[in-house]
Amino acid sequence: MAEQRRPLVAGNWKMNGCVADLDEIAAIRDHVASGAAGIAEVAVCPPATLLMAAARLCADSALRLGGQDCHAAPNGAHTGDIAAEMLKDAGASYVIVGHSERRADHAETDADVRAKAAAALRAGLSVILCVGESRAEHEAGEALAKVGAQLAQSLPEGIPADRLVIAYEPIWAIGTGVTPTRGHIAAMHGFLRDELRHHVAGSADAVRLLYGGSVKPGNADELLNASNVDGTLVGGASLKAEEFLPIMQFYSNR
Ligand code: 13P
């Protein structure tokens, strides 16, 4: 029997948010406290500059925080980079690794991503690993092959299943308003679930599989109802508590 997975609704703020936007984090925290997310866990990954202040706001709260990237090393001469240990120290529980924007903007390879995921585990963080195919790969029918290869090459060997979240984010759906069909998402997530059996320590059924890419209040029901979808990684619609709230509420009646 499949294990019960607690859904995760996570916001990726990307390079958005200044001190004034901590009000949104406080509002999300209050929504979580009021039970708006039902059975789901909720996390926000703000820019690193806001992490410590956000952690102060979220002390005694069930709202979790995450970083958006980390360096593979625990410290050292890496100007501008942030170690997983620093994210943990600042109050993060999660770190996103392998986001397609990092892969594109910083030429991150699967090997880089694997080293970052290993660093996250070393630091005591849980990993949100992003995978996803480009538009050209999608149109060529290569989505499963691409994502399968990313998974195989980006996961540290024997990663504990309960410390791993996979976010399937087709690049062509990120920030475009275009979304895959529910059938496409279900097929990809079913494939991911099967593939994970070769890669994780513990039961692959414990790994949460998130869908990400243009999730909005108006399409959350359609997208999150796909089979094997255990939550979502939300970009633009996570920046304002009032837009994030209806997405969290998907899980309030389950
Ligand atoms: P959007 O929700 O803005 O499309 O971004 C998705 C994403 O990249 C989350 O990591």
Side-chain angles (χ1 to χ4, degrees):
M1 201 175 86
E3 291 174 32
Q4 272 303 103
R5 290 179 293 275
R6 186 176 181 206
L8 173 63
V9 177
N12 174 10
W13 279 22
K14 309 189 180 185
M15 197 172 72
N16 298 291
C18 290
V19 169
D21 300 296
L22 288 166
D23 289 351
E24 300 298 329
I25 292 184
I28 295 167
R29 173 201 64 195
D30 294 344
H31 289 320
V32 170
S34 73
I39 57 167
E41 180 181 17
V42 181
V44 174
C45 303
T49 47
L50 295 184
L51 210 41
M52 280 187 66
R56 260 179 241 124
L57 287 177
C58 294
D60 306 322
S61 161
L63 177 59
R64 295 280 163 255
L65 298 169
Q68 299 175 11
D69 175 53
C70 65
H71 196 277
N75 51 51
H78 302 289
T79 303
D81 279 314
I82 299 174
E85 281 78 359
M86 294 170 175
L87 296 172
K88 174 83 175 167
D89 186 51
S93 305
Y94 290 97
V95 62
I96 298 168
V97 298
H99 194 283
S100 59
E101 289 152 13
R102 298 280 326 164
R103 293 176 190 261
D105 294 355
H106 300 272
E108 286 186 10
T109 64
D110 287 333
D112 296 330
V113 174
R114 187 174 60 228
K116 288 169 186 245
L121 296 177
R122 179 190 68 217
L125 297 170
S126 291
V127 173
I128 301 176
L129 170 69
C130 297
V131 293
E133 81 283 1
S134 68
R135 177 178 298 281
E137 289 158 345
H138 176 65
E139 287 171 357
E142 295 167 358
L144 295 183
K146 174 60 187 275
V147 167
Q150 282 182 325
L151 201 67
Q153 288 159 32
S154 307
L155 284 176
E157 206 170 315
I159 185 170
D162 59 357
R163 303 266 305 276
L164 175 63
V165 177
I166 304 288
Y168 169 56
E169 300 205 312
I171 297 168
W172 48 274
I174 295 177
T176 58
V178 179
T179 53
T181 61
R182 196 194 287 189
H184 175 88
I185 296 172
M188 180 61 80
H189 282 226
F191 169 76
L192 285 167
R193 179 78 59 209
D194 285 345
E195 288 295 300
L196 279 167
R197 301 190 198 290
H198 308 298
H199 300 302
V200 301
S203 169
D205 286 336
V207 179
R208 288 175 291 180
L209 303 181
L210 313 187
Y211 167 76
S214 295
V215 174
K216 308 285 178 211
N219 63 17
D221 268 15
E222 169 68 16
L223 299 170
L224 302 186
N225 263 318
S227 66
N228 262 313
V229 171
D230 307 310
T232 178
L233 184 57
V234 183
S238 71
L239 295 172
K240 295 284 174 212
E242 67 181 36
E243 223 189 327
F244 200 36
L245 174 63
I247 299 172
M248 290 160 48
Q249 283 173 328
F250 174 82
Y251 291 105
S252 62
N253 297 320
R254 267 143 232 274

